[in-house]
Amino acid sequence: MPETLKVDGKMNVHIISPTKSVLDGVADKVLLPTPYGNIMILKDRAPLFTATSSGIMWVYNEGVKPVAYFISGGIAEIRRNICSVLAWGVKADEINKERLHSWRLNLEGELPKIHSKMQKKQALERIDFLKMLETRPSLLVPPDFE
């Protein structure tokens, strides 16, 4: 059963984490981090299924400041003006430098307990991403596409 659009002329956007729904809203466009680079998702685009990488997902709505979400590696499905991202995520304005530092330290503490090469690689990518955010707050300035 297809999902109906919440607002005509926009696309529905979801970020679903293992423990909760982080975002259930609408957007004109979404900038999505993937292992292949950032992808701009516009309404009415062809269906797409892709991996996501740790990074900043930007949600754009005309006349409103873009909203940033930190997401982890996961997957995204784009279909019928619906952009669904399955990954750990948090709204950027809900965190601060101390929280980023705490997350990074916790993740570094968990590294010795990880035995899977793939999970270890993903954890190291998240640690690098958190380090980058701690040292480069300018990353939270939205890219301008106008």
Side-chain angles (χ1 to χ4, degrees):
M1 177 178 193
E3 184 175 344
T4 58
L5 292 178
K6 294 178 178 143
V7 176
D8 234 7
K10 302 224 180 221
M11 68 177 140
N12 294 352
V13 182
H14 310 283
I15 300 176
I16 303 151
S17 287
T19 57
K20 67 179 182 173
S21 175
V22 176
L23 170 65
D24 183 12
V26 296
D28 292 320
K29 57 188 174 186
V30 173
L31 186 64
L32 187 65
T34 75
Y36 322 106
N38 290 337
I39 298 174
M40 180 62 78
I41 309 297
L42 303 172
K43 68 183 204 72
D44 296 326
R45 73 151 286 129
L48 171 70
F49 192 77
T50 185
T52 62
S53 59
S54 295
I56 301 172
M57 177 177 150
W58 290 96
V59 177
Y60 293 85
N61 278 297
E62 192 174 324
V64 180
K65 182 181 172 191
V67 180
Y69 291 86
F70 297 137
I71 63 168
S72 67
I75 57 172
E77 178 186 19
I78 293 80
R79 61 179 169 76
R80 293 192 182 132
N81 288 323
I82 300 166
C83 176
S84 298
V85 177
L86 305 173
W88 288 99
V90 64
K91 194 171 180 181
D93 65 2
E94 294 177 0
I95 64 171
N96 55 39
K97 193 171 182 174
E98 292 78 27
R99 201 172 201 190
L100 287 171
H101 185 72
S102 172
W103 284 345
R104 182 176 57 81
L105 291 178
N106 286 341
L107 197 49
E108 288 173 340
E110 293 294 316
L111 268 178
K113 300 174 190 171
I114 300 173
H115 300 293
S116 160
K117 285 183 182 182
M118 185 176 83
Q119 288 176 334
K120 191 165 279 212
K121 180 181 178 222
Q122 289 173 338
L124 289 169
E125 286 174 3
R126 282 190 213 119
I127 288 169
D128 288 344
F129 177 66
L130 291 170
K131 283 180 185 175
M132 185 174 53
L133 289 174
E134 286 179 72
T135 58
R136 294 180 50 203
S138 63
L139 290 172
L140 289 175
V141 175
D144 185 15
F145 297 103
E146 302 303 321

